[in-house]
């Protein structure tokens, strides 16, 4: 394995984890850029359509030639802006990766291999609180969501906290990942909304961003993500994944 002169060689296990982290970074970039594209399309697409429609209506009514010309110019600029936005959305929208079926145990093992040492280094404990069910999920999306939630948990939980992950099968055959996070407050608004909340605390922006992107990934794969109160100064993130 290539390395910088003078550095100690990296073990095979560490190299595998580093490669996994690099793959996760790429997948996260795709997810975030696709999320931004969705927001742009939602927030700007409809108003532009309304403006263009109104301009067309004004131009079609007989009257002052200057009014008609101004309406035509509005239509022209709206069309130009719409094309540029469409190009930006196409640029930001990454192709969907093919689903990769993987056992729940394999996903959890990979996620813990990356984040258990990080959690420990930050003075916390990441604990598996249940037996793992015999089921498969889309490994890539599940690993992105779990590692993103682990990262968020280690940033909001206090020193010495225990972050617990439970996994179970639901009655309808889905896989339920439940992460108990000390220090996390349930968001006041909807995390699945495309628009940012009207009121939010500056210090909690990163929490909302992580939960929103995770929610988009989960819904795109037929799942569900919710954040529920779980006692004082604590929340439970429930991630329902479709079993494959």
């Amino acid at each position: 394995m290539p390395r910088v002169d003078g550095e100690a060689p990296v073990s095979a296990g560490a190299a595998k984890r580093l490669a996994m982290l690099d793959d996760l970074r790429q997948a996260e970039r795709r997810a975030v850029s696709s999320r931004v594209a969705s927001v742009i399309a939602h927030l700007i697409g409809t108003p532009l359509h309304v403006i263009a429609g109104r301009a067309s209506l004004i131009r079609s009514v007989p009257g002052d030639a200057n009014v008609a010309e101004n309406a035509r110019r509005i239509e022209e600029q709206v069309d130009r802006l719409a094309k540029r936005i469409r190009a930006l959305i196409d640029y930001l929208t990454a192709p969907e990766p093919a689903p990769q079926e993987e056992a729940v145990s394999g996903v959890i093992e990979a996620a813990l291999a990356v984040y258990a040492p990080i959690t420990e280094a930050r003075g916390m404990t990441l604990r598996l609180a249940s037996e793992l069910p015999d089921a498969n999920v889309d490994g890539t999306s599940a690993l992105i969501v779990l590692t993103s939630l682990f990262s968020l948990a280690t940033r909001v939980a206090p020193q010495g906290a225990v972050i617990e992950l439970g996994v179970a099968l639901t009655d309808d055959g889905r896989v339920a990942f439940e992460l108990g996070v000390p220090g996390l407050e349930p968001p006041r608004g909807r995390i699945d909304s495309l628009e940012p909340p009207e009121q939010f605390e500056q210090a909690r922006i990163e929490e909302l961003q992580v939960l929103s992107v995770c929610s988009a990934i989960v819904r795109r794969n037929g799942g569900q993500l919710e954040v529920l109160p779980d006692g004082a100064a604590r929340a439970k993130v429930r991630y329902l994944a479709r079993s494959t």
Side-chain angles (χ1 to χ4, degrees):
M1 176 180 178
R3 61 187 178 89
V4 178
D5 288 343
E7 285 191 347
V10 178
S11 68
K16 185 177 180 180
R17 286 193 293 272
L18 289 172
M20 185 198 315
L21 277 173
D22 188 59
D23 289 341
L24 284 174
R25 285 190 61 195
Q26 182 185 34
E28 287 168 348
R29 285 195 298 268
R30 282 199 302 261
V32 171
S33 64
S34 294
R35 178 65 167 163
V36 170
S38 295
V39 172
I40 292 173
H42 178 73
L43 294 181
I44 300 178
T46 299
L48 282 181
H49 181 72
V50 171
I51 293 170
R54 293 287 182 175
S56 178
L57 183 62
I58 293 170
R59 187 166 54 84
S60 66
V61 177
D64 191 329
N66 288 331
V67 172
E69 175 60 18
N70 287 333
R72 186 194 67 78
R73 289 183 179 180
I74 292 173
E75 289 180 301
E76 184 179 84
Q77 291 303 311
V78 167
D79 182 64
R80 179 183 178 188
L81 181 57
K83 289 179 178 177
R84 296 184 68 177
I85 291 173
R86 181 71 259 172
L88 177 61
I89 291 173
D90 290 341
Y91 174 72
L92 290 174
T93 304
E96 290 287 339
Q100 296 183 350
E101 184 175 307
E102 188 167 347
V104 169
S105 58
V107 174
I108 297 298
E109 181 182 356
L112 291 178
V114 173
Y115 266 93
I118 294 174
T119 307
E120 183 179 353
R122 291 177 176 170
M124 306 161 200
T125 302
L126 181 57
R127 178 184 299 164
L128 190 59
S130 64
E131 296 291 330
L132 297 179
D134 183 14
N136 294 337
V137 292
D138 176 18
T140 300
S141 62
L143 192 55
I144 296 172
V145 172
L146 287 175
T147 53
S148 296
L149 294 177
F150 287 168
S151 175
L152 175 61
T154 63
R155 294 178 186 279
V156 300
Q159 287 283 317
V162 177
I163 302 165
E164 290 190 333
L165 174 67
V167 190
L169 282 178
T170 63
D171 292 339
D172 58 2
R174 292 186 293 179
V175 178
F177 301 91
E178 294 189 343
L179 187 68
V181 185
L184 179 65
E185 297 180 15
R188 297 176 184 176
R190 293 172 51 186
I191 60 174
D192 62 342
S193 174
L194 288 175
E195 299 183 25
E198 293 183 1
Q199 296 181 348
F200 56 88
E201 299 175 24
Q202 194 73 18
R204 300 192 64 201
I205 290 178
E206 184 179 3
E207 296 177 26
L208 294 172
Q209 289 174 344
V210 172
L211 292 171
S212 179
V213 171
C214 286
S215 177
I217 295 171
V218 169
R219 287 186 292 110
R220 194 168 60 215
N221 288 276
Q224 181 182 349
L225 187 78
E226 54 186 348
V227 185
L228 308 170
D230 191 31
R234 180 184 173 93
K236 178 184 292 182
V237 184
R238 193 165 192 253
Y239 161 31
L240 292 173
R242 186 175 56 186
S243 180
T244 58

